[in-house]
Amino acid sequence: NAGVTQTPKFRVLKTGQSMTLLCAQDMNHEYMYWYRQDPGMGLRLIHYSVGEGTTAKGEVPDGYNVSRLKKQNFLLGLESAAPSQTSVYFCASSLLADTQYFGPGTRLTVL
Amino acid sequence: AQKITQTQPGMFVQEKEAVTLDCTYDTSDPSYGLFWYKQPSSGEMIFLIYQGSYDQQNATEGRYSLNFQKARKSANLVISASQLGDSAMYFCAMRDFSGNTPLVFGKGTRLSVIA
């Protein structure tokens, strides 16, 4: 039982490049989330999903897209990376609207 | 809209002493949940404790307890007998249970435990 895993752990991009972050959970959770964490800002919700095939916008969705084609996976895409997207990205999941369990994070740098 | 406020950017505590980390919240929903997470320097987010708005008793988990004062809209985390390994960032969070509103986090408090 791995819980929540994230791939990759680190990534460096050039401005304008695209990439996809993968989140996987093996707890059969319905809800999944993507957050970004910046110094002094706490965690801010980017997008979330309340079930397979559903997605919804969070607090800071601009510049990101997501997909939840399978219940256990939640993908976060950056189509054209910008330096402002340099951050640590966390994925989380929860059974329903209850305790969220987090992945280890992905450190992304956009040059 | 939900809002979480953590007014202490940083705190120091002597090893073996107790410490209280403050958290106030604002919501118009009568049904909600309050959460505390710990983030050590390694970066992972660790769930510590949960309190539901209708829970009669304050939540406790080992050395962690939540001092829930509903009328004051506060949900302070109390850590008893602090250990060096408690040094970390601590985040308070809440979610309303009406609809599918996600968690809202405070900006965190950095706790440093001194030997």
Side-chain angles (χ1 to χ4, degrees):
Chain A
N1 188 333
V4 181
T5 57
Q6 292 181 231
T7 309
K9 290 186 169 55
F10 302 93
R11 185 73 187 267
V12 178
L13 289 178
K14 293 182 180 178
T15 297
Q17 287 185 316
S18 64
M19 78 162 294
T20 300
L21 306 184
L22 170 63
C23 176
Q25 52 94 5
D26 62 1
M27 298 176 282
N28 202 34
H29 283 174
E30 289 294 331
Y31 291 26
M32 295 186 75
Y33 315 81
W34 276 107
Y35 293 89
R36 61 178 288 172
Q37 184 178 27
D38 302 295
M41 299 292 290
L43 277 84
R44 294 182 293 169
L45 183 66
I46 304 170
H47 287 280
Y48 64 104
S49 166
V50 299
E52 182 179 321
T54 74
T55 62
K57 293 181 180 179
E59 182 185 354
V60 289
D62 293 343
Y64 305 95
N65 56 75
V66 287
S67 65
R68 183 100 182 268
L69 298 179
K70 292 183 179 181
K71 186 177 182 178
Q72 63 268 35
N73 294 338
F74 195 30
L75 305 179
L76 177 71
L78 286 73
E79 289 186 351
S80 180
S84 61
Q85 293 178 304
T86 293
S87 188
V88 180
Y89 292 84
F90 285 97
C91 176
S93 71
S94 60
L95 184 60
L96 293 172
D98 52 5
T99 304
Q100 293 183 17
Y101 295 92
F102 284 79
T106 294
R107 187 173 294 276
L108 175 66
T109 302
V110 183
L111 302 176
Chain B
Q2 311 159 81
K3 185 178 178 182
I4 289 282
T5 303
Q6 293 180 255
T7 56
Q8 307 152 314
M11 289 194 69
F12 291 89
V13 65
Q14 200 75 40
E15 196 178 8
K16 300 179 185 176
E17 297 291 314
V19 63
T20 298
L21 306 183
D22 294 342
C23 173
T24 58
Y25 60 92
D26 191 22
T27 179
S28 56
D29 195 325
S31 179
Y32 52 89
L34 296 153
F35 305 79
W36 277 92
Y37 286 84
K38 173 184 178 181
Q39 186 178 41
S41 57
S42 52
E44 70 270 32
M45 294 286 288
I46 302 168
F47 166 70
L48 294 178
I49 196 167
Y50 165 81
Q51 177 88 41
S53 57
Y54 292 119
D55 292 343
Q56 296 296 316
Q57 307 263 6
N58 283 349
T60 60
E61 289 287 347
R63 294 186 299 109
Y64 304 109
S65 60
L66 203 152
N67 184 1
F68 181 46
Q69 297 187 47
K70 198 170 183 177
R72 294 186 176 185
K73 293 190 174 179
S74 75
N76 298 340
L77 177 70
V78 181
I79 305 174
S80 62
S82 297
Q83 302 172 355
L84 295 178
D86 294 335
S87 294
M89 282 290 287
Y90 289 83
F91 292 96
C92 180
M94 75 167 292
R95 73 183 306 167
D96 291 338
F97 289 139
S98 62
N100 286 320
T101 56
L103 267 183
V104 173
F105 283 83
K107 294 188 176 182
T109 295
R110 181 170 297 282
L111 177 66
S112 300
V113 180
I114 304 166

